[in-house]
Amino acid sequence: MSMNRRQFLSSTAATAASATLMGLTGSRAFAAGEEKINVAAIYDLSGGLDIYGKPVMDALRFAAEEINAKGGLLDKQINFIAYDAQSNMQLYAQFAQQAALRDKAAVVHAGITSASREVVRPVLNRYRTLYFYNNQYEGGVCDRNYFAAGVTPAQTVQKLAPYAVKQWGKKVYIVAADYNYGQIVSNWVRKYAADVGGQTVATEFFPLDVTDFGAAISKIQAASPDFVWSGLVGGAHMSFYRQWKATGMTGKIPLASTTFAGGNEHIVLSPEECNGFLVCQNYLQELPGAANADFVKRFHARYGADYPYITELAMGAYQGFMLWAEGVRKAGSIDRIKVIEALESGIAIDAPSGRVSLDPATHHCTLDVHIAEVRDRKLNLIESFPQQKPGDTAAVCDLIKNPADNRQYAIKF
């Protein structure tokens, strides 16, 4: 399970190259007339967000291969087409259009950040191509063509922020990525901490390419909070945790996060740099139960026993793929509207993370979440919360009543 950053990035680069090749050869094979179902995936396999994109693409490919090994869908094999967006919004737009028009994809799985999602979503709407966004995000997107397989703040922040306040104290200092996700999730942290008597003493945002956190750490030391909440994102922001340890703060002021470990930070960093951090996620590789143990065994058989870690974001992608496949089976077709109607009928699967059900009104998922402690490159389960609903998005979105709705709401507290 040990893996240094050089090994991790080398593996990512190899996957990026093979994935791009797969995208090109896959589309040509389909154009030649083979009876296959095209499924496209667009993720960051290079660039600043590759720490998330590689595990996600691996999980999607794995799902497609498992379905194909069992006979495919509707007696057809899945043709998996993978694109490396290179953390570039222009490439996200370009590849989304290619997936819709050239590949004639039955569904597109795409996007890590909110920015990439909001580039892809209108393109796929325009060309009437079904879209699955499998990442954790800030919530509030209401769009009949869009399905969200990841968690929202009402499912994870709502559990972890009160837990941290009760465990460590009332004063929280928030550091977060300076874009839609970080800003909105910080609002949720403030709300859920305040609900149990907590107080946010400061909030500081950082662009995704920032690597120097010395001034921020000095401010945190001066504020002397009871704990830090991290909404940091991406490879550059990993520098915060290293500098946090270098200044002697690890172990002095505890840290909670719903983004940490999503990019294998707990594998790339040394145990001394992150032991004791608390996270809340839908999936942990260490989850008990035969279903998860069997999944991990199969995954390692495919990618190697030394695969660094199966992340929550990877599991979200696997779940999203399997939910779409279940919709196709129920619809008996890959027709977009028929699949949407099937998915809106209350589709559910038993995933390695537990029961995952699609809420017809929001197109978001009800699922289990877990608080865990980072310890020696593992996520040790502390407490589980079964079947958490996407309450934040449900407060603003009802696609059964308003199927033409198509926007992201700013959810009022």
Side-chain angles (χ1 to χ4, degrees):
M1 295 299 295
S2 177
M3 189 183 203
N4 65 37
R5 180 161 175 77
R6 179 177 295 175
Q7 291 169 321
F8 182 73
L9 293 179
S10 175
S11 176
T12 299
T15 297
S18 65
T20 302
L21 179 62
M22 183 182 297
L24 295 172
T25 58
S27 60
R28 283 201 297 267
F30 188 80
E34 292 187 11
E35 282 295 316
K36 293 186 177 183
I37 298 172
N38 273 6
V39 173
I42 311 168
Y43 287 96
D44 310 82
L45 300 177
S46 57
L49 297 171
D50 58 351
I51 63 173
Y52 307 114
K54 178 193 177 297
V56 164
M57 194 70 85
D58 287 345
L60 289 169
R61 183 180 294 107
F62 182 67
E65 290 174 354
E66 285 206 321
I67 291 171
N68 282 342
K70 295 179 180 179
L73 286 174
L74 311 180
D75 296 322
K76 297 179 181 179
Q77 292 284 285
I78 293 169
N79 183 46
F80 184 70
I81 304 166
Y83 292 103
D84 177 12
Q86 302 172 39
S87 301
N88 182 312
M89 295 304 111
Q90 289 182 327
L91 287 178
Y92 264 109
Q94 175 186 328
F95 292 149
Q97 183 167 315
Q98 283 184 210
L101 296 181
R102 188 190 71 180
D103 303 330
K104 306 295 183 185
V107 64
V108 175
H109 298 261
I112 296 294
T113 64
S114 303
S116 61
R117 181 194 67 239
E118 291 308 301
V119 166
V120 168
R121 192 166 65 86
V123 173
L124 298 182
N125 265 309
R126 183 181 311 126
Y127 297 116
R128 294 184 174 88
T129 303
L130 193 60
Y131 178 31
F132 266 72
Y133 180 66
N134 303 309
N135 206 46
Q136 67 159 292
Y137 88 109
E138 66 277 1
V141 173
C142 192
D143 176 353
R144 197 169 185 229
N145 193 59
Y146 162 93
F147 290 85
V151 294
T152 63
Q155 295 164 308
T156 54
V157 178
Q158 194 272 339
K159 297 302 179 186
L160 185 56
Y163 184 91
V165 170
K166 292 173 183 177
Q167 287 290 116
W168 295 328
K170 295 182 178 180
K171 296 194 299 180
V172 55
Y173 196 113
I174 302 171
V175 293
D178 190 13
Y179 71 104
N180 203 19
Y181 173 82
Q183 293 160 5
I184 295 174
V185 167
S186 295
N187 291 335
W188 285 112
V189 174
R190 285 192 286 270
K191 171 194 163 35
Y192 289 130
D195 285 348
V196 291
Q199 175 192 2
T200 300
V201 297
T203 303
E204 197 164 356
F205 298 107
F206 304 90
L208 290 173
D209 60 353
V210 166
T211 58
D212 184 356
F213 293 92
I217 291 173
S218 295
K219 291 178 185 177
I220 295 171
Q221 290 171 318
S224 189
D226 293 312
F227 68 97
V228 168
W229 182 283
S230 171
L232 298 174
V233 171
H237 285 183
M238 212 179 303
S239 300
F240 174 86
Y241 306 111
R242 290 201 165 106
Q243 292 164 32
W244 187 247
K245 172 65 171 63
T247 54
M249 299 306 296
T250 304
K252 289 186 178 180
I253 297 178
L255 184 144
S257 177
T258 53
T259 56
F260 188 86
N264 274 325
E265 291 92 339
H266 66 306
I267 301 296
V268 177
L269 296 171
S270 70
E272 294 75 22
E273 289 169 326
C274 57
N275 275 350
F277 291 0
L278 288 184
V279 300
C280 187
Q281 301 184 351
N282 165 236
Y283 178 73
L284 316 170
Q285 185 175 295
E286 297 83 0
L287 282 179
N292 184 49
D294 182 61
F295 173 82
V296 172
K297 182 179 179 180
R298 299 193 321 267
F299 198 89
H300 284 167
R302 169 62 177 86
Y303 289 111
D306 60 347
Y307 193 89
Y309 192 86
I310 305 170
T311 65
E312 178 196 49
L313 304 187
M315 181 53 62
Y318 181 84
Q319 291 169 177
F321 202 108
M322 291 304 184
L323 284 166
W324 167 77
E326 191 64 21
V328 170
R329 293 187 190 102
K330 184 163 186 177
S333 171
I334 60 169
D335 177 82
R336 182 179 68 102
I337 293 299
K338 290 180 180 179
V339 173
I340 289 173
E341 290 172 347
L343 291 167
E344 288 176 340
S345 69
I347 290 285
I349 60 170
D350 289 315
S353 66
R355 189 73 167 169
V356 180
S357 305
L358 266 172
D359 172 43
T362 65
H363 288 195
H364 288 56
C365 291
T366 296
L367 30 71
D368 300 343
V369 301
H370 314 275
I371 292 176
E373 182 189 50
V374 179
R375 182 66 55 184
D376 298 331
R377 295 196 167 96
K378 294 183 179 180
L379 302 180
N380 294 330
L381 179 62
I382 294 176
E383 188 173 356
S384 296
F385 304 89
Q387 296 303 281
Q388 298 301 299
K389 298 180 183 299
D392 38 22
T393 306
V396 295
C397 180
D398 190 338
L399 290 163
I400 302 303
K401 290 183 178 178
N402 305 298
D405 207 350
N406 180 10
R407 55 179 155 168
Q408 181 172 16
Y409 285 89
I411 302 170
K412 305 298 183 183
F413 302 144

